[in-house]
Amino acid sequence: MRSKIRARASEEGFEKSVATRKAIEEATQRAMAGQSSATPDQMLDLSGFGEKFVDDGTDELTAEEQAEIDKIANMPLWEQVGEELANTRFPTPLAIFQTACVMALIFAVSATLILKGDATIRDLYMNQGFIPRPDEVYDFGDLELPDGFLEQQDLEGDLGSALKAATDTVDQILPPPSSP
């Protein structure tokens, strides 16, 4: 790609200027030395930036200027509330009704899409046999449960016996501490 560009530039009669060649050599030397790529004359001088934010009091407004600019701030509270309410534009009943209709339409469309999507996915999984249909009844009469399986139901229902069983199990694994 570079060779094509160089060939085209030489055909058109473009050559690197001495300044460009020199700038490229200097940038390469700075990069090899690990220095910044910008020369001091190219860098942005930010030394005076912080001074602009020093509060010297010249930007402060006098009480008269503040009163002229913000007339409402100098009014009593009830008059301020009245002025704000007078300048507030409230929606019309028609606009409220239109917004409510749009919200109801969005709700109806969203609910329909969710419910129809759920039914479609449920039917797909039922047809593939991943989940049983509600009308299918399975007979688990010949299912053999491991010994003690049904006792776990009582264990889960009674917290006291569950704690006792856990304590007994821990005592079997770890010997009780001996008293000094």
Side-chain angles (χ1 to χ4, degrees):
M1 180 72 168
R2 288 184 183 184
S3 61
K4 289 181 181 178
I5 293 172
R6 287 187 182 126
R8 175 83 189 267
S10 64
E11 287 174 10
E12 298 291 328
F14 296 126
E15 293 183 14
K16 291 183 183 176
S17 68
V18 176
T20 304
R21 192 174 299 128
K22 190 174 182 181
I24 292 172
E25 289 173 4
E26 288 175 0
T28 305
Q29 289 174 356
R30 283 193 306 272
M32 296 297 240
Q35 297 175 351
S36 172
S37 62
T39 59
D41 60 325
Q42 295 172 333
M43 295 178 73
L44 181 60
D45 181 21
L46 298 175
S47 61
F49 188 71
E51 297 170 4
K52 294 187 181 354
F53 292 106
V54 175
D55 187 20
D56 57 2
T58 57
D59 293 336
E60 295 295 324
L61 297 173
T62 63
E64 294 84 24
E65 290 172 329
Q66 288 178 358
E68 183 181 332
I69 292 171
D70 190 8
K71 296 177 177 82
I72 296 175
N74 295 323
M75 294 179 180
L77 182 61
W78 292 112
E79 290 180 21
Q80 288 182 20
V81 170
E83 186 71 25
E84 289 297 325
L85 289 176
N87 292 328
T88 303
R89 190 174 140 250
F90 291 100
T92 63
L94 179 63
I96 294 171
F97 178 73
Q98 288 174 338
T99 303
C101 288
V102 168
M103 289 174 55
L105 180 67
I106 290 171
F107 173 77
V109 169
S110 299
T112 302
L113 289 175
I114 290 170
L115 293 174
K116 292 295 183 184
D118 179 60
T120 302
I121 292 171
R122 186 181 316 118
D123 288 342
L124 177 72
Y125 283 152
M126 285 181 190
N127 291 338
Q128 295 295 324
F130 292 133
I131 57 174
R133 295 190 176 280
D135 57 343
E136 293 176 350
V137 178
Y138 294 103
D139 181 21
F140 294 108
D142 60 342
L143 182 66
E144 294 183 26
L145 299 174
D147 292 336
F149 183 80
L150 295 177
E151 284 83 32
Q152 290 181 1
Q153 291 177 340
D154 295 336
L155 184 68
E156 292 170 358
D158 186 10
L159 183 61
S161 62
L163 184 59
K164 173 95 172 89
T167 305
D168 292 343
T169 305
V170 169
D171 287 342
Q172 290 174 358
I173 297 170
L174 300 173
S178 59
S179 52

